[in-house]
Each structure stands twice: as structure tokens, then as C-alpha cells.
């Protein structure tokens, strides 16, 4: 995956709070087995940590600005995105939101921007305080995506994915799929706390995978609103394979087999490895969000 070296990145879409502290924050999730359980339950979940039982109880806490604010200082152009992981995340967020703004406009609707908050270890959100153990998540309460970049290492070391830039892009695009669902009312309609292979929780996750695939289909043709040129200039079949590999690595069956030693479909919240690959592929092949109806 390559970005246009001369493109200007919009860092206003990413808030960098790495190294800052939660105001009064005490997140109850820690490392060890509790963190692993949180990962199994919370990974890529479309709701905030309060609804997973991972909140500190202080739902009013919010992320504070880091004195470092590295992305604002260092992530200026597509060339930076081609050389730095955090700048690549900024570029992916820009590309994903360029696409959804244009797609909503094509459908005579208005897309509301969502920032990605980069944090380290723990963060406060409108959905409660959480640690990195819950994995990347989208909070409907403040309409922001939360991401500890260290998760991308865990995707390889803990979950066995091959990794790579597009595997990371898939994660970001999936979370923005939840933002799209939030704006369309899908999240609120589907939240019923049930689990299982045919549950709404699984259907929400699979649809977010499909929406990630829809973005990927258009990634190299979506014009950047500032330059009129696509921000992403190259997306190869090897990149797509890395994304599919990441999708499979976080399938419920793969995670349960790795951490529990057995597969229990009645407790699924995200779908199997095969289902996650299938729905990403559906979106990628057609490029049409209308094909992402996982609720049929």
C-alpha cells in the first residue's frame, strides 16, 4: 500500500493523546488473564467499554491532549505516511473518511466526521475508561475511534496474523464501518446484548468488515478533497491478502481456539474467521454498501 508522496495529510481527523493520563482515570481492566478475556470479548466490538463491563465507572472522562501531539508535528504529507506507522494511520483515516463523505453525498445524505484517538495503555471516553486490552473500538457516545498502535504488534504476536500496512488499514476501516452504522441507526437497533453465531452482535461486526471491503474497493480511485488525486496510489493483491489474514486472525473461532482451547459458537460476538473474510471480500468485490446487508 502506497500513498501519494505529495498529498497533504489532515491531522485534525486524528487526536494524539499518547503519553497523557486519564483525568481521575482508573480503568479496571489490567494485564494477564483479565486482559486476555477483555481482548476476547472486546476486540473490534462496535460499542464502548462500558457496555462490555470494562468501564471504570467514570463515564465522563475524556481523552486529554498530549504535550507530544506527535502526529500534528510529524505527519504532514503522504511521504510521511509511507515511512511512519502513526502517519500511515492518519492517511488511512483521511482516505476512509474521504470515501464515506463522498458516498453519503452520492446518496443525498451527510456524513459526520469521526476522529481517531491514538492513546497509550489507557484512555477515557464518553463510553467509559478502558485500557489497551480491549483492542481498537468505536464509542457511539462521542463518535470517535480509539486505537493503541501497540495493538498492531499484538495482531501478529498474539493472534498470529501476518501483519503489514493493509492489515492495519483494515482495522481502521472496520472501526469506521461502525461509525457508518452509528449514523445509519444500525448500531442502536442491533444492540440487544445477545451472543451467538446468528446474533445481532455478529451481524454488526460482519457488516463493518463488509464496509471496510467497500472502502478498499474504492481506495485507489477516491479523490482526496484537497488535491483531487487519490491519497492511496497503490493497493496490491498481497495487501488484500494481509487484510484477509488479519480478518481471519480475529475470528471468534480462531480466538477461542487460541485462548480457550475450544470453540463455543454460542458465545460468538464477531463471527468466524471464514465469515469475516467472506464479508470483507463481498464488500471489496462489489464496492457497493448495499451488498453488506448481513441482517438478511
Amino acid at each position: 500500500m502506497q500513498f501519494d508522496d505529495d498529498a497533504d495529510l489532515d491531522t485534525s481527523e486524528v487526536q494524539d493523546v499518547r503519553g497523557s493520563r486519564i483525568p481521575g482515570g482508573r480503568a479496571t481492566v489490567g494485564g494477564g488473564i483479565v486482559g486476555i478475556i477483555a481482548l476476547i470479548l472486546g476486540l473490534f466490538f462496535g460499542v464502548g467499554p462500558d457496555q462490555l463491563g470494562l468501564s471504570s465507572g467514570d463515564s465522563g472522562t475524556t481523552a486529554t491532549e498530549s504535550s507530544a501531539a506527535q502526529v500534528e508535528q510529524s505527519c504532514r504529507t503522504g511521504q510521511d505516511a509511507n515511512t511512519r506507522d502513526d502517519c500511515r494511520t492518519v492517511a488511512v483515516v483521511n482516505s476512509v473518511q474521504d470515501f464515506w463523505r463522498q458516498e453519503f453525498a452520492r446518496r443525498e445524505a451527510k456524513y459526520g466526521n469521526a476522529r481517531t484517538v491514538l492513546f497509550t495503555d489507557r484512555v477515557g471516553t464518553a463510553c467509559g475508561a478502558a485500557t489497551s486490552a480491549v483492542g481498537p473500538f468505536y464509542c457511539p457516545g462521542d463518535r470517535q475511534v480509539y486505537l493503541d498502535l501497540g495493538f498492531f504488534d499484538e495482531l501478529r504476536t498474539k493472534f498470529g496474523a501476518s501483519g503489514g500496512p493493509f492489515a492495519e488499514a483494515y482495522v481502521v476501516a472496520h472501526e469506521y464501518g461502525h461509525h457508518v452504522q452509528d449514523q445509519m441507526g444500525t448500531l442502536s437497533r442491533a444492540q440487544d446484548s445477545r451472543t451467538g453465531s446468528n446474533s445481532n452482535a455478529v451481524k454488526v461486526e460482519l457488516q463493518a468488515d463488509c464496509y471496510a471491503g467497500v472502502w478498499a474497493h474504492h481506495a485507489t480511485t477516491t479523490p482526496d478533497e484537497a488535491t483531487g488525486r487519490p491519497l492511496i496510489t497503490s493497493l496490491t493483491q498481497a495487501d488484500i491478502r494481509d487484510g484477509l489474514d488479519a480478518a481471519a486472525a480475529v475470528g471468534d473461532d480462531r480466538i477461542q481456539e487460541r485462548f480457550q482451547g475450544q470453540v463455543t459458537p454460542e458465545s460468538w460476538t464477531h463471527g468466524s474467521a471464514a465469515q469475516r473474510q467472506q464479508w470483507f471480500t463481498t464488500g471489496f468485490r462489489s464496492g457497493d454498501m448495499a451488498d453488506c446487508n448481513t441482517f438478511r
Side-chain angles (χ1 to χ4, degrees), residues 166-184:
F166 189 76
E168 299 173 10
Y170 154 73
V171 172
V172 174
H174 173 100
E175 296 307 332
Y176 275 91
H178 288 314
H179 179 55
V180 170
Q181 291 171 323
D182 190 22
Q183 293 186 90
M184 296 179 70

Side-chain angles (χ1 to χ4, degrees), residues 38-39 41-49 52 54 89 116-119 123 125 130-139 144-155 159 167-176 178 205 250 255 270 276:
L39 274 166
L41 293 176
L43 189 68
F44 297 162
F45 212 79
V47 296
L52 294 171
L54 305 179
T89 298
T116 287
V117 178
L118 301 182
F119 70 98
V123 69
T125 81
T131 72
S132 302
V134 301
F137 64 92
Y138 171 72
C139 173
Q144 296 190 133
V145 172
Y146 290 87
L147 172 64
D148 186 328
L149 292 176
F151 171 76
F152 294 138
D153 291 329
E154 293 184 345
L155 191 59
F159 296 95
E168 299 173 10
Y170 154 73
V171 172
V172 174
H174 173 100
E175 296 307 332
Y176 275 91
H178 288 314
E205 296 301 323
V250 292
I255 291 176
H270 300 81
R276 301 199 72 165

Side-chain angles (χ1 to χ4, degrees), residues 65-287:
E65 290 287 353
S66 166
S67 59
Q70 297 175 53
V71 297
E72 186 176 351
Q73 297 173 7
S74 303
C75 303
R76 300 185 180 276
T77 68
Q79 185 175 17
D80 298 324
N82 284 323
T83 56
R84 289 176 56 117
D85 290 348
D86 51 359
C87 299
R88 181 164 60 241
T89 298
V90 174
V92 171
V93 169
N94 289 172
S95 174
V96 169
Q97 297 210 104
D98 279 345
F99 169 70
W100 286 116
R101 275 192 294 269
Q102 294 168 37
E103 178 65 13
F104 270 54
R106 189 178 70 82
R107 294 171 177 269
E108 300 182 344
K110 183 174 177 58
Y111 173 84
N113 283 359
R115 283 195 305 181
T116 287
V117 178
L118 301 182
F119 70 98
T120 305
D121 297 330
R122 58 182 61 197
V123 69
T125 81
C127 297
T131 72
S132 302
V134 301
F137 64 92
Y138 171 72
C139 173
D142 54 28
R143 293 193 165 185
Q144 296 190 133
V145 172
Y146 290 87
L147 172 64
D148 186 328
L149 292 176
F151 171 76
F152 294 138
D153 291 329
E154 293 184 345
L155 191 59
R156 292 182 293 101
T157 60
K158 286 188 177 179
F159 296 95
S162 58
F166 189 76
E168 299 173 10
Y170 154 73
V171 172
V172 174
H174 173 100
E175 296 307 332
Y176 275 91
H178 288 314
H179 179 55
V180 170
Q181 291 171 323
D182 190 22
Q183 293 186 90
M184 296 179 70
T186 308
L187 277 185
S188 59
R189 291 194 301 269
Q191 299 291 334
D192 59 13
S193 301
R194 297 177 182 174
T195 62
S197 58
N198 197 41
S199 65
N200 280 340
V202 166
K203 293 173 183 177
V204 162
E205 296 301 323
L206 296 179
Q207 186 177 65
D209 282 335
C210 188
Y211 285 164
V214 169
W215 160 74
H217 175 95
H218 297 280
T220 59
T221 58
T222 297
D224 177 70
E225 294 171 353
T227 67
R229 302 187 306 271
L231 180 55
I232 296 177
T233 60
S234 174
L235 196 60
T236 68
Q237 286 302 311
D239 290 324
I240 299 302
R241 284 196 298 271
D242 285 342
L244 287 170
D245 184 69
V250 292
D252 279 321
D253 51 345
R254 293 275 186 92
I255 291 176
Q256 289 179 340
E257 182 66 34
R258 181 176 288 263
F259 293 106
Q260 299 176 178
Q262 61 180 342
V263 176
T264 53
E266 64 272 13
S267 65
W268 286 5
T269 56
H270 300 81
S272 68
Q275 287 175 312
R276 301 199 72 165
Q277 289 186 322
Q278 172 196 337
W279 281 103
F280 176 88
T281 300
T282 296
F284 179 67
R285 286 179 175 169
S286 76

